[in-house]
Amino acid sequence: MSTLKVLTCLISMPANNVVAEIRKPESIHIETNYKELFAKAEITMPRNILLFEKLRLTPREVFKHGLKVNISFGYNGNLVPRFSGYITGVSADFPLKISLQDEMWKLSKLPVNYSAKSTALSNMLRSICPGYKVDALEGVDLGTVQFAKTTVGAVLQKIRSDFGLYSYMDGTTLICGKYYADNSADKIETINLDTYLAKNGLEYQNSDDIIALVKGNTTIKNKKVQYQVGDEGGDKYDFEYNLATSLDVLKIKVNADYAKIKRGGYKGSLGAFGEPIFKHGQKVKLVSYIYPDRQGNYFIDAVTTDYGKDGIVQELTLGGKA
């Protein structure tokens, strides 16, 4: 006999003297993706809000721009932290919608004046991000850099465009260039594809069905070098291999990634319920007793979480096979 699961929610605003807690929002929508600089959330408030009339305040006066907000929810009184960030927008109409961005919103605004004849990525980021932890890809030499009268956000966008390295926040830690968490201590959660899922948008591809073209880019002695393998007319992958110091090394890396893509597997997304909690970068194990040959571990590229009248649903977008 299944146990009844009752939704529990707490939205706290420790710096707001008017509203400290919200326990019954209409809905919450959260988006995280390693390819996006900012993680985002949106809170939809109930239509029958009497608070503003009693206080004689507008929503924007209550939910001020830049106000810190912590969101926790779960089942049966178990409140699990799901998002922490800052208010970036409040809708003009009802139902009231409050837009949020994570800690990157605050970090990205820090001013930057930095120059060096030669610097490693990790060293530069630690210098321009005081007060934050930095976990950056090691071995990336940026060479000569000069950033004047700019911001951390603009620098991170420049790193992405020039080196193909994505940045995002994990709490108050800046992650740069590390797409997937590969910590052996992290638990790999299991999803049985034969049982009921909230949503199943997965498509299985055999290796023969996959047409792909992989392009690899690097810089060798200040010169851009590219190598590609595969076939035109299919999925295109454009990767940066900044640690490839020769054409031979670049070829090895491109061929290895091409082989991973061609070995087949699931692509698309699937919907899980509210527990366990998933985050992008971790691994998930997909099992099936109907199709045991399709089982395997996959990386998660993005997670969208919805809280509302239909319960809690996490949509996982799968990346490559782990």
Side-chain angles (χ1 to χ4, degrees):
M1 185 175 180
S2 61
T3 303
L4 178 64
K5 290 188 175 182
V6 179
L7 292 181
T8 304
C9 179
L10 173 62
I11 301 171
S12 61
M13 291 163 280
N16 192 334
N17 295 324
V18 179
V19 178
E21 295 180 353
I22 298 170
R23 293 187 176 271
K24 293 184 178 181
E26 183 72 21
S27 65
I28 301 170
H29 179 77
I30 301 171
E31 296 180 5
T32 65
N33 187 328
Y34 83 83
K35 292 184 178 180
E36 299 295 333
L37 195 61
F38 301 92
K40 302 175 183 179
E42 183 178 80
I43 304 168
T44 301
M45 299 291 288
R47 289 182 177 272
N48 55 340
I49 304 177
L50 301 178
L51 173 67
F52 308 115
E53 295 181 11
K54 291 180 180 179
L55 298 175
R56 296 183 180 180
L57 295 172
T58 66
R60 283 187 173 83
E61 289 174 312
V62 175
F63 302 109
K64 296 180 180 179
H65 186 86
L67 182 69
K68 184 68 177 288
V69 177
N70 300 315
I71 301 174
S72 299
F73 53 80
Y75 301 108
N76 301 331
N78 183 29
L79 290 169
V80 182
R82 304 277 182 158
F83 187 89
S84 182
Y86 302 87
I87 294 178
T88 58
V90 179
S91 65
D93 301 322
F94 288 91
L96 188 67
K97 295 181 184 293
I98 303 167
S99 299
L100 309 166
Q101 290 182 352
D102 69 345
E103 189 68 28
M104 184 64 81
W105 176 84
K106 186 176 181 180
L107 172 61
S108 66
K109 296 178 181 297
L110 292 182
V112 173
N113 286 283
Y114 181 89
S115 63
K117 291 184 178 180
S118 179
T119 184
L121 172 66
S122 57
N123 291 340
M124 184 192 72
L125 292 179
R126 291 187 180 97
S127 178
I128 68 174
C129 301
Y132 289 89
K133 294 181 180 179
V134 173
D135 185 6
L137 183 65
E138 296 296 334
V140 179
D141 186 2
L142 301 179
T144 301
V145 296
Q146 184 171 1
F147 296 105
K149 296 181 180 180
T150 185
T151 63
V152 169
V155 172
L156 295 179
Q157 295 286 12
K158 181 70 172 175
I159 291 172
R160 172 176 174 171
S161 63
D162 287 1
F163 292 88
L165 301 178
Y166 296 96
S167 302
Y168 60 88
M169 297 299 295
D170 183 1
T172 56
T173 299
L174 171 64
I175 312 294
C176 182
K178 295 187 173 183
Y179 308 150
Y180 298 128
D182 195 15
N183 188 345
S184 58
D186 288 345
K187 181 180 179 182
I188 301 177
E189 301 290 352
T190 299
I191 293 180
N192 190 329
L193 299 176
D194 303 332
T195 60
Y196 175 73
L197 294 174
K199 175 185 176 182
N200 192 343
L202 295 179
E203 176 187 356
Y204 189 83
Q205 290 185 313
N206 293 306
S207 58
D208 294 339
D209 299 327
I210 298 174
I211 301 175
L213 179 67
V214 178
K215 294 181 180 180
N217 307 282
T218 190
T219 301
I220 302 174
K221 295 181 180 180
N222 297 321
K223 182 180 179 181
K224 287 285 187 180
V225 178
Q226 184 180 84
Y227 172 76
Q228 68 180 45
V229 63
D231 302 301
E232 296 283 357
D235 293 331
K236 294 182 179 180
Y237 300 85
D238 202 339
F239 297 142
E240 297 287 336
Y241 299 90
N242 296 292
L243 300 183
T245 55
S246 70
L247 179 58
D248 289 339
V249 173
L250 179 63
K251 288 180 178 180
I252 291 172
K253 291 182 176 294
V254 172
N255 285 323
D257 280 336
Y258 177 73
K260 288 180 182 179
I261 294 170
K262 284 286 290 182
R263 68 185 178 184
Y266 288 103
K267 63 181 298 186
S269 64
L270 59 87
F273 293 103
E275 296 175 347
I277 297 176
F278 296 96
K279 63 180 182 179
H280 69 75
Q282 77 177 92
K283 298 174 186 176
V284 60
K285 183 178 182 179
L286 303 185
V287 299
S288 171
Y289 300 105
I290 299 175
Y291 301 104
D293 58 315
R294 299 184 180 184
Q295 297 183 155
N297 293 345
Y298 291 80
F299 287 110
I300 300 174
D301 276 1
V303 180
T304 298
T305 305
D306 284 291
Y307 170 102
K309 59 182 177 63
D310 296 325
I312 303 172
V313 176
Q314 301 175 91
E315 184 173 348
L316 317 180
T317 301
L318 297 186
K321 215 170 183 180

Coordinates of all heavy atoms in Angstrom, one line a residue, residues 9-25 43 45-46 49 51 62-63 67-72 79 98:
C9 N 6.2 23.1 1.7 CA 7.0 24.2 1.1 C 7.3 25.3 2.1 O 6.5 25.6 2.9 CB 6.2 24.7 -0.1 SG 7.1 26.1 -1.0
L10 N 8.5 25.9 1.9 CA 8.8 27.1 2.7 C 9.7 28.0 1.8 O 10.8 27.5 1.3 CB 9.6 26.7 4.0 CG 10.2 27.9 4.7 CD1 9.0 28.8 5.2 CD2 11.0 27.4 5.9
I11 N 9.2 29.2 1.6 CA 9.9 30.2 0.8 C 10.3 31.2 1.9 O 9.4 31.9 2.4 CB 9.1 30.8 -0.3 CG1 8.7 29.7 -1.3 CG2 9.9 31.9 -1.0 CD1 7.8 30.1 -2.4
S12 N 11.6 31.4 2.2 CA 12.0 32.4 3.2 C 12.7 33.5 2.6 O 13.5 33.4 1.6 CB 12.8 31.7 4.3 OG 14.0 31.1 3.7
M13 N 12.5 34.7 3.2 CA 13.2 35.9 2.8 C 13.7 36.6 4.0 O 13.1 37.5 4.6 CB 12.2 36.8 2.0 CG 11.8 36.3 0.7 SD 10.3 37.0 0.0 CE 9.1 36.1 0.9
P14 N 14.9 36.2 4.5 CA 15.4 36.6 5.8 C 15.6 38.1 5.9 O 15.6 38.6 7.0 CB 16.8 35.9 5.9 CG 17.1 35.5 4.5 CD 15.8 35.2 3.8
A15 N 15.8 38.8 4.8 CA 16.1 40.3 4.9 C 14.8 41.1 4.7 O 14.9 42.3 4.6 CB 17.1 40.7 3.9
N16 N 13.6 40.5 4.5 CA 12.4 41.2 4.3 C 11.6 41.3 5.6 O 11.1 40.3 6.1 CB 11.6 40.4 3.2 CG 10.4 41.2 2.7 OD1 9.9 42.1 3.4 ND2 10.0 40.9 1.5
N17 N 11.5 42.5 6.1 CA 10.8 42.8 7.3 C 9.3 42.7 7.2 O 8.5 42.6 8.2 CB 11.1 44.2 7.9 CG 12.6 44.3 8.3 OD1 13.2 43.3 8.8 ND2 13.2 45.4 8.0
V18 N 8.8 42.7 5.9 CA 7.3 42.7 5.7 C 6.9 41.2 5.5 O 5.9 40.8 6.2 CB 7.0 43.5 4.4 CG1 5.5 43.4 4.1 CG2 7.4 44.9 4.6
V19 N 7.5 40.5 4.7 CA 7.2 39.1 4.5 C 8.4 38.2 4.8 O 9.5 38.4 4.1 CB 6.7 38.8 3.0 CG1 6.4 37.3 2.8 CG2 5.5 39.6 2.7
A20 N 8.4 37.4 5.8 CA 9.5 36.5 6.1 C 9.3 35.1 5.5 O 10.3 34.5 5.2 CB 9.6 36.4 7.6
E21 N 8.1 34.6 5.4 CA 7.9 33.3 4.9 C 6.6 33.2 4.0 O 5.6 33.9 4.2 CB 7.7 32.3 6.1 CG 8.9 32.2 7.0 CD 8.6 31.2 8.1 OE1 7.4 30.8 8.3 OE2 9.6 30.9 8.9
I22 N 6.7 32.3 3.0 CA 5.5 31.9 2.2 C 5.5 30.4 2.2 O 6.5 29.7 1.9 CB 5.7 32.5 0.8 CG1 5.8 34.0 0.8 CG2 4.5 32.0 -0.1 CD1 6.1 34.6 -0.6
R23 N 4.3 29.8 2.5 CA 4.2 28.4 2.6 C 3.3 27.8 1.6 O 3.3 26.5 1.4 CB 3.8 28.0 4.1 CG 4.8 28.3 5.1 CD 4.4 27.8 6.5 NE 5.5 28.0 7.5 CZ 6.5 27.2 7.7 NH1 6.6 26.1 7.0 NH2 7.4 27.5 8.6
K24 N 2.5 28.6 0.9 CA 1.5 28.0 0.0 C 1.5 28.8 -1.3 O 0.6 29.5 -1.7 CB 0.1 28.0 0.6 CG 0.0 27.0 1.8 CD -1.4 26.9 2.3 CE -1.6 25.9 3.4 NZ -2.9 25.8 3.9
P25 N 2.6 28.7 -2.1 CA 2.6 29.3 -3.4 C 1.7 28.5 -4.4 O 1.4 27.4 -4.1 CB 4.1 29.2 -3.8 CG 4.6 28.0 -3.2 CD 3.9 27.9 -1.8
I43 N 8.4 32.0 -9.0 CA 7.4 31.7 -8.0 C 6.1 32.3 -8.5 O 6.1 33.5 -8.7 CB 7.8 32.2 -6.6 CG1 9.1 31.6 -6.2 CG2 6.7 31.9 -5.6 CD1 9.7 32.3 -4.9
M45 N 2.4 33.3 -7.2 CA 1.7 33.4 -6.0 C 0.2 33.2 -6.2 O -0.3 33.3 -7.3 CB 1.9 34.8 -5.4 CG 3.3 35.2 -5.1 SD 4.0 34.2 -3.7 CE 3.1 35.1 -2.4
P46 N -0.5 32.8 -5.1 CA -2.0 32.6 -5.3 C -2.7 33.9 -5.7 O -2.2 35.0 -5.4 CB -2.4 32.2 -3.9 CG -1.2 31.7 -3.2 CD -0.1 32.5 -3.8
I49 N -4.4 37.2 -2.8 CA -3.4 37.7 -1.8 C -4.0 39.0 -1.2 O -4.1 40.0 -1.9 CB -2.1 38.0 -2.5 CG1 -1.5 36.8 -3.2 CG2 -1.0 38.5 -1.5 CD1 -0.2 37.0 -4.0
L51 N -2.4 40.4 1.4 CA -1.3 41.0 2.1 C -1.1 42.5 1.6 O -0.9 43.4 2.4 CB 0.0 40.2 1.8 CG 1.3 40.8 2.3 CD1 1.3 40.9 3.9 CD2 2.5 40.0 1.8
V62 N 7.1 45.1 -1.7 CA 7.2 43.9 -0.8 C 8.4 43.0 -1.3 O 9.3 42.7 -0.6 CB 5.9 43.1 -0.7 CG1 6.1 41.9 0.1 CG2 4.8 44.0 -0.1
F63 N 8.3 42.7 -2.6 CA 9.3 41.8 -3.2 C 10.3 42.7 -4.0 O 10.3 42.8 -5.2 CB 8.7 40.8 -4.1 CG 7.6 39.9 -3.4 CD1 6.3 40.1 -3.7 CD2 8.0 39.0 -2.4 CE1 5.3 39.3 -3.0 CE2 7.1 38.2 -1.8 CZ 5.7 38.4 -2.1
L67 N 16.4 41.2 -3.5 CA 16.1 40.5 -2.2 C 16.5 39.1 -2.2 O 16.2 38.4 -3.2 CB 14.6 40.7 -1.9 CG 14.2 40.1 -0.5 CD1 14.7 41.0 0.6 CD2 12.6 40.1 -0.4
K68 N 17.2 38.6 -1.2 CA 17.6 37.2 -1.1 C 16.4 36.3 -0.8 O 15.6 36.6 0.1 CB 18.6 37.0 -0.1 CG 19.2 35.6 0.0 CD 20.0 35.2 -1.2 CE 20.6 33.8 -1.1 NZ 21.8 33.8 -0.1
V69 N 16.2 35.2 -1.5 CA 15.1 34.2 -1.3 C 15.7 32.8 -1.3 O 16.5 32.4 -2.1 CB 14.1 34.4 -2.5 CG1 13.0 33.3 -2.3 CG2 13.5 35.8 -2.6
N70 N 15.2 32.0 -0.3 CA 15.5 30.6 -0.2 C 14.3 29.8 -0.4 O 13.3 30.1 0.2 CB 16.2 30.3 1.2 CG 17.4 31.1 1.4 OD1 18.3 31.2 0.5 ND2 17.6 31.7 2.6
I71 N 14.4 28.8 -1.3 CA 13.2 27.9 -1.5 C 13.5 26.5 -1.1 O 14.5 25.9 -1.5 CB 12.9 27.9 -3.0 CG1 12.6 29.4 -3.5 CG2 11.7 27.0 -3.3 CD1 12.4 29.5 -5.0
S72 N 12.6 25.9 -0.3 CA 12.7 24.5 0.1 C 11.4 23.9 0.0 O 10.3 24.5 0.3 CB 13.2 24.4 1.6 OG 14.5 25.0 1.8
L79 N 11.5 19.4 4.5 CA 11.8 20.5 3.6 C 13.3 20.3 3.2 O 14.2 20.3 4.0 CB 11.7 21.8 4.4 CG 10.2 22.2 4.7 CD1 10.2 23.4 5.7 CD2 9.5 22.6 3.5
I98 N 7.2 36.0 -9.5 CA 8.4 36.5 -9.0 C 9.6 35.8 -9.7 O 9.7 34.6 -9.5 CB 8.5 36.4 -7.5 CG1 7.3 37.1 -6.8 CG2 9.8 37.0 -6.9 CD1 7.2 36.7 -5.3

